[in-house]
Amino acid sequence: MSSRPAATRVTTIACMRYQDASKAIDFLCSAFGFERQLVVPGAGNEIMHAQLTFGNGMIMLGTDREDDFGKLMTTPTQVDNRCTQSLYVIVQDADAHHDQAVAAGAQVLVPLKDEDYGGRGYTCRDLEGHVWTFGTYDPWAEVTPS
């Protein structure tokens, strides 16, 4: 396998919708360590668009609404907390990250554990049901074939 590409800019960005995007932004920052890069408010408490960063990664999100993109998306709470995808975020210290997320109210689905393929991590839901996995396994790191 090859090592991490030379570019430090992320090329894939997850896009998500939340029923209460303002509250979600606060949660994602306090529980998971994201940082606000751009937040574009709309009418009332609506968020038209937001960009949150974590290291050199990013997610984009907004308030769930019936616009062209919203007709393609839904939130887990609207479909019995089911997801068709989840996000994996590389962290330096899975134990400390886990403790911070739990303290902020994240619902742990898969407890902290060491993985057979390397790394340590856990899986949780955010306040609106999106599934996240945080771990120390870095698939960009040099891997020794088995």
Side-chain angles (χ1 to χ4, degrees):
M1 296 207 132
S2 63
S3 60
R4 175 174 237 158
T8 58
R9 190 173 51 146
V10 68
T11 58
T12 302
I13 299 170
C15 299
M16 307 163 78
R17 289 286 173 104
Y18 285 88
Q19 291 175 352
D20 187 339
S22 292
K23 187 175 179 181
I25 290 168
D26 290 341
F27 176 85
L28 294 169
C29 292
S30 67
F32 297 160
F34 280 89
E35 295 181 6
R36 292 167 179 83
Q37 185 203 48
L38 173 69
V39 177
V40 180
N45 196 34
E46 188 172 275
I47 299 296
M48 297 303 296
H49 177 79
Q51 298 170 187
L52 305 181
T53 60
F54 188 99
N56 68 342
M58 176 184 287
I59 61 170
M60 293 191 288
L61 64 100
T63 300
D64 186 41
R65 58 187 178 278
E66 285 294 320
D67 58 9
D68 288 340
F69 189 67
K71 292 174 186 173
L72 304 171
M73 302 281 297
T74 192
T75 64
T77 55
Q78 295 171 330
V79 288
D80 199 27
N81 269 339
R82 296 182 59 111
C83 297
T84 61
Q85 82 328 223
S86 66
L87 293 97
Y88 179 78
V89 180
I90 301 166
V91 297
Q92 295 298 312
D93 182 339
D95 292 81
H97 193 277
H98 170 272
D99 293 348
Q100 176 179 327
V102 168
Q107 176 193 7
V108 174
L109 303 172
V110 177
L112 260 171
K113 65 179 180 174
D114 294 321
E115 299 293 351
D116 293 340
Y117 52 82
R120 181 169 173 78
Y122 71 100
T123 300
C124 65
R125 284 192 189 275
D126 66 21
L127 74 168
E128 287 197 21
H130 292 282
V131 175
W132 298 78
T133 299
F134 296 92
T136 60
Y137 174 70
D138 181 350
W140 292 108
E142 197 65 42
V143 177
T144 305
S146 50

